[in-house]
């Protein structure tokens, strides 16, 4: 067997929708499929307004402009996340203040946020790691109390809920990714969901290179002009057509991934205690979406040995983020950055197992057997 870490899943309908865009001739952004996808997300999840973007990174950059981040503003970001979560705000001149993870979950520790707030803090960014919700009651209350703009980096979190509401509906804004490693894909792609009504109008302008072209397209103004800063954040309608093909089978994709997650979980729980590794912590207020299946090993040494062992059996397991507070870019500017011990622990000890739509139960059995074999060997 050869089990890669990820395999993009394509239903077949994507090509039909792309052919339709080609035959109708509107290939650029904000066409028929862009509008269909945006409406789909607004209706299905209850977001205020959705704009498709070229990536989650682009959506984060839009959110930083919409949050009016200026040089010297402080933005609180978890350290255990992807570069873009912080970089989008650094691009606008913000000083990034990194927050630690919980001890048992890579998500931000809500009880450690208030200590980081100063009179310069303008925004709070959170990440729902592996599609598991952060504690949104606590986080929304902190953002309200300190008048912070709240942004959910929901790149992993499509279709997941905190209590009875979808992730991405709690923040002023939320960003999603359709990168080929995520649940719903377009190769490169993403979206910005906006829930704060005051930002709707400006968002559309920033999205279209700082112009009111979207309004012009609707026949509301006789010409379009340079109104604000912005960039080309919108994807081509070909990308939106591909996305629409994915949305037609979103229920099937999500159900299968959750089943695979549960199958891993139910099989690994039998040996996790014995071999001192941990399974994902699923908070009681969160649903799951089968985005990532990870385990947390007792040390970096054990993680490296296990990953190498699995690789020798043709199973590709991967570590994940490198704490951003220890990155070369951040350390050069902030040489005395504080230790964030939980983020560092996940950097050293978390391992992601293969997870994708076409993974089979037999393949999961093979992964689990080999994890078992690895630990029986080293415990001899
Ligand atoms: C994947 C990911 C991103 C970046 O998404 P792109 O669409 O590749 O720009 C940002 N944040 C997190 C948490 C991610 O996992």
């Amino acid at each position: 067997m050869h089990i890669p870490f990820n395999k993009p899943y394509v239903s077949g309908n994507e090509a039909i929708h792309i052919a339709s865009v080609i035959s109708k001739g509107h290939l650029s952004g904000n066409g028929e499929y862009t509008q269909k996808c945006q409406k789909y997300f607004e209706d299905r999840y209850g977001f205020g307004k959705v704009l498709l973007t070229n990536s989650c990174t682009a959506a984060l950059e839009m959110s930083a402009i919409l949050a009016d981040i200026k040089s010297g503003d402080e933005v609180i970001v978890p350290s255990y996340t992807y570069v873009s979560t912080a970089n989008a705000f650094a691009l606008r001149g913000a000083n990034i203040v990194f927050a630690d993870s919980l001890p048992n979950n890579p998500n931000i520790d809500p009880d450690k946020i208030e200590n980081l707030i100063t009179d310069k803090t303008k925004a709070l960014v959170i990440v729902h790691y592996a599609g598991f919700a952060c504690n949104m009651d606590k986080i929304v209350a902190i953002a309200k109390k300190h008048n912070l703009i709240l942004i959910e980096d929901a790149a992993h979190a499509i279709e997941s809920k905190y209590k009875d509401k979808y992730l991405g509906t709690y923040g002023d804004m939320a960003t999603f990714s359709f990168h080929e490693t995520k649940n719903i894909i377009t190769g490169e792609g993403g979206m910005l969901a906006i829930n704060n009504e005051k930002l709707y109008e400006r968002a559309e302008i920033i999205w279209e290179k700082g112009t009111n072209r979207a309004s012009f397209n609707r026949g509301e103004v006789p010409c379009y002009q340079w109104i604000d800063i912005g960039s080309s954040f919108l994807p081509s309608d070909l990308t939106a057509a591909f996305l629409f093909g994915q949305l037609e089978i979103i229920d099937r994709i999500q159900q299968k991934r959750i089943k695979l997650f549960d199958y891993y979980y139910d099989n690994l729980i039998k040996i996790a205690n014995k071999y001192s590794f941990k399974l994902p912590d699923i908070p009681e207020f969160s649903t799951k979406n089968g985005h990532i299946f990870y385990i947390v090993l007792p040390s970096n040494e054990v993680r490296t040995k296990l990953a190498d062992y699995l690789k020798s059996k043709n199973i590709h397991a991967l570590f994940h983020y490198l704490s951003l507070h220890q990155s070369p870019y951040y350390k050069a500017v902030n040489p005395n950055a504080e230790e964030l011990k939980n983020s560092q622990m996940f950097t050293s000890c978390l391992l992601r197992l293969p997870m994708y739509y076409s993974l089979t139960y037999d393949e999961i059995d093979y992964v689990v057997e080999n994890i078992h074999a690895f630990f029986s060997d080293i415990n001899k």
Side-chain angles (χ1 to χ4, degrees), residues 54-58 60 81-85 127-129 153-156 175-179 181-182 187-190 291-292 320-321:
N54 287 308
S55 61
C56 183
T57 302
L60 285 159
T81 183
Y82 191 62
V83 178
S84 299
T85 319
V127 177
H128 303 292
Y129 186 80
D153 180 342
H156 300 183
T175 64
F176 291 83
S177 176
F178 307 126
H179 186 266
T181 51
K182 306 299 203 291
E188 302 282 354
H291 176 50
I292 289 172
H320 209 179
Y321 302 127

Side-chain angles (χ1 to χ4, degrees), residues 123-273:
L124 168 61
V125 190
I126 57 142
V127 177
H128 303 292
Y129 186 80
F132 296 116
C134 296
N135 186 326
M136 295 315 292
D137 282 333
K138 284 191 182 180
I139 287 167
V140 168
I142 293 168
K144 274 216 174 102
K145 179 174 162 198
H146 297 275
N147 204 15
L148 306 179
I149 295 186
L150 177 61
I151 298 151
E152 300 174 72
D153 180 342
H156 300 183
I158 195 145
E159 194 83 15
S160 270
K161 287 178 178 173
Y162 171 78
K163 296 189 175 169
D164 58 352
K165 258 179 67 186
Y166 285 106
L167 297 182
T169 60
Y170 288 90
D172 293 287
M173 292 171 267
T175 64
F176 291 83
S177 176
F178 307 126
H179 186 266
E180 76 163 49
T181 51
K182 306 299 203 291
N183 286 22
I184 301 299
I185 62 170
T186 59
E188 302 282 354
M191 68 173 169
L192 177 67
I194 309 155
N195 302 310
N196 181 340
E197 279 178 45
K198 290 183 201 134
L199 304 173
Y200 291 177
E201 203 181 315
R202 192 169 180 225
E204 224 176 47
I205 291 166
I206 290 166
W207 188 58
E208 270 276 25
K209 299 104 177 160
T211 74
N212 55 346
R213 189 179 195 161
S215 173
F216 170 71
N217 286 347
R218 288 190 296 263
E220 294 161 4
V221 287
C223 59
Y224 71 89
Q225 306 181 70
W226 188 12
I227 306 282
D228 199 336
I229 59 167
S231 191
S232 186
F233 288 114
L234 73 178
S236 129
D237 217 47
L238 296 165
T239 299
F242 189 106
L243 179 59
F244 196 74
Q246 294 266 306
L247 295 180
E248 287 175 328
I249 53 157
I250 188 169
D251 290 326
R252 178 148 65 82
I253 292 175
Q254 297 295 115
Q255 281 159 16
K256 175 81 189 291
R257 293 185 78 115
I258 291 168
K259 278 191 187 153
L260 295 171
F261 182 100
D262 288 343
Y263 195 72
Y264 263 127
Y265 196 99
D266 294 344
N267 281 287
L268 286 170
I269 192 86
K270 298 171 193 157
I271 57 170
N273 264 345

Side-chain angles (χ1 to χ4, degrees), residues 352-377:
R352 294 175 296 161
L353 303 179
M355 177 58 115
Y356 46 87
Y357 178 84
S358 55
L359 188 67
T360 66
Y361 297 117
D362 282 351
E363 287 169 328
I364 294 182
D365 286 341
Y366 180 71
V367 176
V368 172
E369 275 161 29
N370 277 294
I371 292 174
H372 199 150
F374 167 80
F375 281 108
S376 334
D377 272 4

